[in-house]
Amino acid sequence: MSYNNILSEVENGIQHITVNRPKQLNALNKETIEELSQAFQSAEDDKEVQVVIVTGSGDKAFVAGADIKEFASFSVEQGKALAAEGQKKLFDLVAHMGTPVIAAVNGFALGGGLELAMSCHVRVASDQAKMGLPEVSLGVIPGYGGTQRLAHLVGKGKALEMITTAGMIDAHDAHRWGLVNQVTAPGELMDACLKMAGKMKKNSPKAIAAAIAAVNAGYETGKNGFDEEIKRFGEAFGTADFKEGTTAFMEKRKANFTGE
Ligand code: CAA
């Protein structure tokens, strides 16, 4: 499929998705959200895709937020719809994917950009990256899940400090705070992501999807993470991947998972 605002290609079982609006620092307008939604959904539906890596084009920004120029004249109703549709189409979709998603944070990840990175399962950042939720400086608040996901990742106090000051933190502070998993030199960012993806690819896709669902359940209203874990653990015993994984262990060989 061809897109206007993103690049998407599959290589060695990894879907690389790049937000490609470098002149606007990869800001997320409506069309970009739509295209990202389609690309992530196609990754989720494609059995050949075992990991997704999302990044921004150019060396300056991952994503500098929602497109301010696009929403500047919105009404209350349009504002609500922007957040509701964006969360459903993209941010919740990414967070709930069974295929693990790595954000390669190559520069500014602000507002909707940090929210996109936080929807991903893992974040690796270049030491040049800067992160923040500056929405209150515009008279609005984070609307793509940032008030919730930032507090989940760094705790309520630090989340409220970042949100109320509208400040940016660097990659090293983000690492110390638990917002990113790893920091690399800019030239090593993609290699670090590929290395992590390589480790993920060795494991059962079926079990990875179940583990993501169990972890997510602990953060969702009305769900009990422990109950979800028990259910998913039990279901794993009925999968071909479980038979293969345990058989391979006993036969002292590497498992060859099919994701069934
Ligand atoms: N939306 C639209 N355009 C943006 C943008 C955004 N979020 N961020 C940057 N751009 C555009 C700029 O307008 C500029 O375009 P022009 O050349 O046509 O004027 C171009 O990208 C380059 O940006 P700057 O000249 O500002 O670059 P800089 O190096 O001086 O500053 C920056 C970089 C600090 C990231 C600055 O661009 C900035 O503060 N951007 C906005 C960040 C922001 O507030 N993000 C939150 C958006 S609101 C949101 O995301 C809501 C939500 O949760 C749903």
Side-chain angles (χ1 to χ4, degrees), residues 13-159:
I14 299 171
Q15 183 142 356
H16 294 264
I17 299 176
T18 307
V19 184
N20 190 30
R21 301 182 76 211
K23 285 193 184 134
Q24 291 80 27
L25 303 189
N26 302 320
L28 300 175
N29 61 0
K30 218 171 166 195
E31 192 183 30
T32 307
I33 297 257
E34 193 65 54
E35 291 182 357
L36 283 169
S37 177
Q38 286 175 25
F40 277 105
Q41 190 60 60
S42 90
E44 183 73 339
D45 295 342
D46 185 346
K47 276 194 61 88
E48 297 306 308
V49 174
Q50 288 174 274
V51 182
V52 181
I53 299 176
V54 59
T55 194
S57 77
D59 54 9
K60 196 166 169 184
F62 173 72
V63 168
D67 192 316
I68 300 167
K69 293 164 193 167
E70 192 180 64
F71 70 60
S73 61
F74 274 15
S75 65
V76 170
E77 285 314 314
Q78 287 173 306
K80 265 190 204 162
L82 181 77
E85 283 167 23
Q87 288 196 18
K88 185 162 175 255
K89 274 190 183 154
L90 180 59
F91 299 82
D92 290 351
L93 169 70
V94 172
H96 290 99
M97 287 197 22
T99 310
V101 184
I102 302 171
V105 183
N106 57 312
F108 288 113
L110 301 174
L114 182 56
E115 290 170 306
L116 177 60
M118 292 193 296
S119 298
C120 299
H121 304 117
V122 174
R123 286 149 292 285
V124 181
S126 132
D127 61 15
Q128 299 301 304
K130 294 255 184 330
M131 282 154 262
L133 292 181
E135 285 89 344
V136 298
S137 72
L138 298 164
V140 67
I141 72 166
Y144 287 151
T147 61
Q148 306 305 300
R149 292 198 177 98
L150 186 61
H152 292 160
L153 285 166
V154 305
K156 187 177 168 187
K158 287 191 170 78

